Amino acid sequence: MEQYAVYGGNPLVGEVEIGGAKNAALPILAASLMTDETVLIENMPDVRDTNILLDAMQGIGAHVERVDRHSVKVNASRIHDLVVEGDSVKKIRASYYFLGSLLGKYKKATVVLPGGCDIGCRAIDQHIKGFKALGASVKIAHGMITAEADHLMGSHVYLDVVSVGATINIMMAAVLAEGRTTIENAAKEPHVVDLANFLNSMGANIKGAGTDVIRIRGVEKLHRTEYVIIPDQIEAGTFLFAAAVTKGDITVRNVIPKHLESISAKLSEIGCEVHESDDAVRVACSHSLHHTQVKTLPYPGFPTDMQPQIAVALGLSHGTSIVTESIFENRFRYVEELIRMGASIKVEGNTAIIDGVPRYTGASISAPDLRAGAALVIAALAAEGFSVVDDIRYIERGYEDFHIKLKHLGAQIEKVESERELQKFRLKIS
Ligand code: EPZ
């Protein structure tokens, strides 16, 4: 089993290039199936979730050509199967994007019910409500969900909760429906906007993405395009918090600073220096951190995907901080692991009360999910002594070359596969 061996205590210093946004890449891949012409997608992150989706696309007949590590051509003119299933697809949340894209184009799709990180109940009622509003029937049986329609008709959909996935799925299905669709209370995340831009570059007519009302006028078909995915705001934010936690100085390059505003604001608030330029953000942090309060919210609020990373920083901050998780009910599973490293945190419902401690100490810990896993690695990099992080497959779902990028910033971290490799790392460090 692969693990990260970490020896903490070094401030991380340097520059890091941020890759394409995983959560934009996933719906863009699904949407690339909506034309029979060839689509070129660039700045594709090479992470487990995108690779699983690409394999699933090939499985139903799409032709996928990897131009280089971060560029892929997709041609979906020979799709022969509208059923997407299999163990790997089942494990990722984004498999449900095939419902919107295949329903839009072929008026039928069956997809294995989605899994994903175990961070809460993750309902899909709003997706179903949207598909039904467009005229589809939706059935769930034997662990599969099927949506089908003779004809999709534009409609008015009001989302009861702001949902990234439902906004995206309804948008994809509506693009090729007849007439106009309005999605109200839509999600405004940068990846929702990126998908809308991608679809518009294929000939769709979507207006208002990035606001809470998205208007779509259905078109007859979509065509070829060449598209560059936006940078990953969560990968960038994770490295910025690594600077804060290790008292380092990190510049993230190839980012859109606007997308990082809520993250940069909290970093300043806790006492870091933040410098922004056109496509880079630098965070330097040499003093002790201050406590604060933070509540996760849909964009442009503080992202739930950054909640564990900020909690790790607040665990080392002076005073008592409060972190409120308002999106997913099960996103504090890392707290137990952090306590093993010396943190003083109490969780009550959706709130974590954090009393800052002067330092963490290395321990054997497990990544409970993707973002929490990355946050624990950062904690280990700040901690005194050795740590071993298990279950790093979660981290690899969404961070490309995570340990390699950290190493370039001066981290003492190695991916190990056996006890022997672990001992070798320990000997090298001591
Ligand atoms: C996306 O998940 C992301 N995943 C998540 O990132 C991210 O945490 C989340 O959006 C919020 O920003 C992908 O993009 C693949 P939601 P998604 O639908 O779409 C409730 C990561 O680490 N809800 O916006 O599943 C739901 O239970 C991952 O990269 C309903 O009630 O999130 C939650 O409380 C983890 N009914 C809230 O809405 C629905 O039909 C927001 O969920 C849909 C959602």
CSV table of all heavy atoms in Angstrom, one decimal, residues 325-348:
chain,number,residue,atom,x,y,z
A,325,GLU,N,-18.9,24.2,9.2
A,325,GLU,CA,-19.0,23.5,7.9
A,325,GLU,C,-20.5,23.5,7.6
A,325,GLU,O,-21.3,22.9,8.2
A,325,GLU,CB,-18.5,22.1,8.0
A,325,GLU,CG,-18.8,21.2,6.8
A,325,GLU,CD,-18.2,21.8,5.5
A,325,GLU,OE1,-17.1,22.1,5.4
A,325,GLU,OE2,-19.0,21.9,4.6
A,326,SER,N,-20.9,24.3,6.5
A,326,SER,CA,-22.3,24.4,6.2
A,326,SER,C,-22.7,23.6,5.0
A,326,SER,O,-23.9,23.7,4.6
A,326,SER,CB,-22.7,25.9,6.2
A,326,SER,OG,-22.3,26.4,5.0
A,327,ILE,N,-21.8,23.0,4.3
A,327,ILE,CA,-22.1,22.3,3.0
A,327,ILE,C,-22.3,20.8,3.2
A,327,ILE,O,-23.3,20.2,2.8
A,327,ILE,CB,-21.1,22.6,1.9
A,327,ILE,CG1,-20.7,24.0,1.8
A,327,ILE,CG2,-21.5,22.0,0.6
A,327,ILE,CD1,-21.8,24.9,1.2
A,328,PHE,N,-21.3,20.1,3.8
A,328,PHE,CA,-21.4,18.7,4.0
A,328,PHE,C,-21.3,18.3,5.5
A,328,PHE,O,-20.4,18.9,6.2
A,328,PHE,CB,-20.2,18.0,3.2
A,328,PHE,CG,-20.3,18.1,1.8
A,328,PHE,CD1,-19.5,18.9,1.0
A,328,PHE,CD2,-21.4,17.4,1.1
A,328,PHE,CE1,-19.6,19.0,-0.4
A,328,PHE,CE2,-21.5,17.5,-0.3
A,328,PHE,CZ,-20.6,18.3,-1.0
A,329,GLU,N,-22.1,17.4,5.9
A,329,GLU,CA,-22.2,17.2,7.4
A,329,GLU,C,-21.1,16.3,7.9
A,329,GLU,O,-21.0,16.1,9.1
A,329,GLU,CB,-23.6,16.6,7.7
A,329,GLU,CG,-23.9,15.2,7.2
A,329,GLU,CD,-24.4,15.1,5.8
A,329,GLU,OE1,-24.3,16.1,5.1
A,329,GLU,OE2,-24.9,14.1,5.4
A,330,ASN,N,-20.3,15.7,7.0
A,330,ASN,CA,-19.4,14.7,7.5
A,330,ASN,C,-17.9,15.1,7.1
A,330,ASN,O,-17.2,14.2,6.7
A,330,ASN,CB,-19.7,13.3,7.0
A,330,ASN,CG,-19.1,12.2,7.8
A,330,ASN,OD1,-18.6,12.4,8.8
A,330,ASN,ND2,-19.1,11.0,7.2
A,331,ARG,N,-17.6,16.4,7.3
A,331,ARG,CA,-16.3,16.8,6.8
A,331,ARG,C,-15.3,17.1,7.9
A,331,ARG,O,-14.4,17.8,7.7
A,331,ARG,CB,-16.5,18.0,5.9
A,331,ARG,CG,-15.7,17.7,4.6
A,331,ARG,CD,-15.9,18.6,3.5
A,331,ARG,NE,-15.0,18.2,2.4
A,331,ARG,CZ,-14.9,18.7,1.2
A,331,ARG,NH1,-15.6,19.7,0.9
A,331,ARG,NH2,-14.0,18.2,0.3
A,332,PHE,N,-15.5,16.5,9.1
A,332,PHE,CA,-14.5,16.7,10.1
A,332,PHE,C,-13.8,15.4,10.5
A,332,PHE,O,-13.3,15.3,11.6
A,332,PHE,CB,-15.2,17.3,11.4
A,332,PHE,CG,-15.6,18.7,11.3
A,332,PHE,CD1,-16.9,19.2,11.5
A,332,PHE,CD2,-14.6,19.7,10.9
A,332,PHE,CE1,-17.2,20.5,11.4
A,332,PHE,CE2,-14.9,21.0,10.9
A,332,PHE,CZ,-16.2,21.5,11.1
A,333,ARG,N,-13.8,14.4,9.6
A,333,ARG,CA,-13.3,13.1,10.0
A,333,ARG,C,-11.8,13.2,10.2
A,333,ARG,O,-11.2,12.3,10.8
A,333,ARG,CB,-13.7,12.1,9.0
A,333,ARG,CG,-15.2,11.8,9.1
A,333,ARG,CD,-15.6,10.6,8.3
A,333,ARG,NE,-15.0,10.7,7.0
A,333,ARG,CZ,-14.6,9.7,6.3
A,333,ARG,NH1,-14.6,8.5,6.8
A,333,ARG,NH2,-14.1,9.8,5.1
A,334,TYR,N,-11.1,14.2,9.7
A,334,TYR,CA,-9.7,14.4,9.8
A,334,TYR,C,-9.3,14.8,11.3
A,334,TYR,O,-8.1,14.7,11.7
A,334,TYR,CB,-9.1,15.4,8.8
A,334,TYR,CG,-9.7,16.8,9.0
A,334,TYR,CD1,-9.1,17.7,9.9
A,334,TYR,CD2,-10.9,17.2,8.4
A,334,TYR,CE1,-9.6,18.9,10.1
A,334,TYR,CE2,-11.4,18.4,8.7
A,334,TYR,CZ,-10.8,19.3,9.5
A,334,TYR,OH,-11.3,20.5,9.8
A,335,VAL,N,-10.3,15.3,12.0
A,335,VAL,CA,-10.0,15.9,13.3
A,335,VAL,C,-9.3,14.9,14.2
A,335,VAL,O,-8.4,15.2,14.9
A,335,VAL,CB,-11.3,16.6,13.9
A,335,VAL,CG1,-11.1,16.9,15.4
A,335,VAL,CG2,-11.7,17.8,13.2
A,336,GLU,N,-9.9,13.7,14.2
A,336,GLU,CA,-9.4,12.6,15.0
A,336,GLU,C,-7.9,12.4,14.8
A,336,GLU,O,-7.1,12.2,15.7
A,336,GLU,CB,-10.1,11.3,14.6
A,336,GLU,CG,-10.5,10.4,15.7
A,336,GLU,CD,-11.3,9.3,15.1
A,336,GLU,OE1,-12.5,9.6,14.7
A,336,GLU,OE2,-10.8,8.2,15.0
A,337,GLU,N,-7.5,12.5,13.5
A,337,GLU,CA,-6.1,12.3,13.1
A,337,GLU,C,-5.2,13.4,13.6
A,337,GLU,O,-4.1,13.2,14.0
A,337,GLU,CB,-6.0,12.1,11.6
A,337,GLU,CG,-6.8,11.0,11.0
A,337,GLU,CD,-6.4,9.7,11.5
A,337,GLU,OE1,-5.4,9.2,11.1
A,337,GLU,OE2,-7.2,9.1,12.3
A,338,LEU,N,-5.8,14.6,13.4
A,338,LEU,CA,-5.1,15.8,13.8
A,338,LEU,C,-4.8,15.8,15.3
A,338,LEU,O,-3.8,16.3,15.8
A,338,LEU,CB,-5.9,17.1,13.4
A,338,LEU,CG,-5.1,18.3,13.0
A,338,LEU,CD1,-4.0,18.0,11.9
A,338,LEU,CD2,-6.0,19.3,12.4
A,339,ILE,N,-5.8,15.3,16.1
A,339,ILE,CA,-5.6,15.2,17.5
A,339,ILE,C,-4.5,14.3,17.9
A,339,ILE,O,-3.7,14.6,18.8
A,339,ILE,CB,-7.0,14.8,18.2
A,339,ILE,CG1,-8.0,15.9,18.1
A,339,ILE,CG2,-6.8,14.3,19.6
A,339,ILE,CD1,-9.4,15.6,18.6
A,340,ARG,N,-4.3,13.3,17.1
A,340,ARG,CA,-3.2,12.4,17.3
A,340,ARG,C,-1.8,13.1,17.1
A,340,ARG,O,-0.8,12.6,17.5
A,340,ARG,CB,-3.2,11.2,16.3
A,340,ARG,CG,-4.4,10.2,16.6
A,340,ARG,CD,-4.9,9.6,15.4
A,340,ARG,NE,-3.9,8.7,14.8
A,340,ARG,CZ,-3.6,7.5,15.2
A,340,ARG,NH1,-4.3,7.0,16.2
A,340,ARG,NH2,-2.7,6.7,14.6
A,341,MET,N,-1.9,14.2,16.4
A,341,MET,CA,-0.6,15.0,16.2
A,341,MET,C,-0.5,16.1,17.2
A,341,MET,O,0.3,16.9,17.1
A,341,MET,CB,-0.7,15.6,14.7
A,341,MET,CG,-0.8,14.5,13.7
A,341,MET,SD,-0.8,15.2,12.0
A,341,MET,CE,0.9,15.5,11.8
A,342,GLY,N,-1.4,16.1,18.1
A,342,GLY,CA,-1.3,17.1,19.2
A,342,GLY,C,-2.3,18.3,19.1
A,342,GLY,O,-2.3,19.2,20.0
A,343,ALA,N,-3.2,18.3,18.1
A,343,ALA,CA,-4.1,19.4,18.0
A,343,ALA,C,-5.1,19.4,19.1
A,343,ALA,O,-5.4,18.3,19.7
A,343,ALA,CB,-4.9,19.3,16.7
A,344,SER,N,-5.7,20.5,19.5
A,344,SER,CA,-6.8,20.6,20.5
A,344,SER,C,-8.0,21.1,19.8
A,344,SER,O,-8.2,22.3,19.6
A,344,SER,CB,-6.3,21.5,21.6
A,344,SER,OG,-7.4,21.7,22.5
A,345,ILE,N,-8.9,20.1,19.4
A,345,ILE,CA,-10.1,20.5,18.6
A,345,ILE,C,-11.3,19.7,19.2
A,345,ILE,O,-11.2,18.5,19.5
A,345,ILE,CB,-9.9,20.1,17.1
A,345,ILE,CG1,-8.6,20.7,16.6
A,345,ILE,CG2,-11.1,20.5,16.3
A,345,ILE,CD1,-8.4,20.4,15.1
A,346,LYS,N,-12.4,20.4,19.3
A,346,LYS,CA,-13.6,19.7,19.7
A,346,LYS,C,-14.6,19.9,18.7
A,346,LYS,O,-14.8,21.1,18.2
A,346,LYS,CB,-14.1,20.4,21.0
A,346,LYS,CG,-14.8,19.4,21.9
A,346,LYS,CD,-14.9,19.9,23.3
A,346,LYS,CE,-16.3,20.6,23.5
A,346,LYS,NZ,-16.4,21.3,24.7
A,347,VAL,N,-15.3,18.9,18.2
A,347,VAL,CA,-16.3,19.0,17.2
A,347,VAL,C,-17.7,18.9,17.8
A,347,VAL,O,-18.0,17.9,18.5
A,347,VAL,CB,-16.2,18.0,16.1
A,347,VAL,CG1,-17.3,18.1,15.0
A,347,VAL,CG2,-14.8,18.1,15.4
A,348,GLU,N,-18.5,19.9,17.6
A,348,GLU,CA,-19.9,19.8,18.1
A,348,GLU,C,-20.8,20.1,16.9
A,348,GLU,O,-20.9,21.2,16.3
A,348,GLU,CB,-20.2,20.9,19.1
A,348,GLU,CG,-19.5,20.6,20.4
A,348,GLU,CD,-19.7,21.6,21.5
A,348,GLU,OE1,-20.4,22.7,21.2
A,348,GLU,OE2,-19.1,21.5,22.6
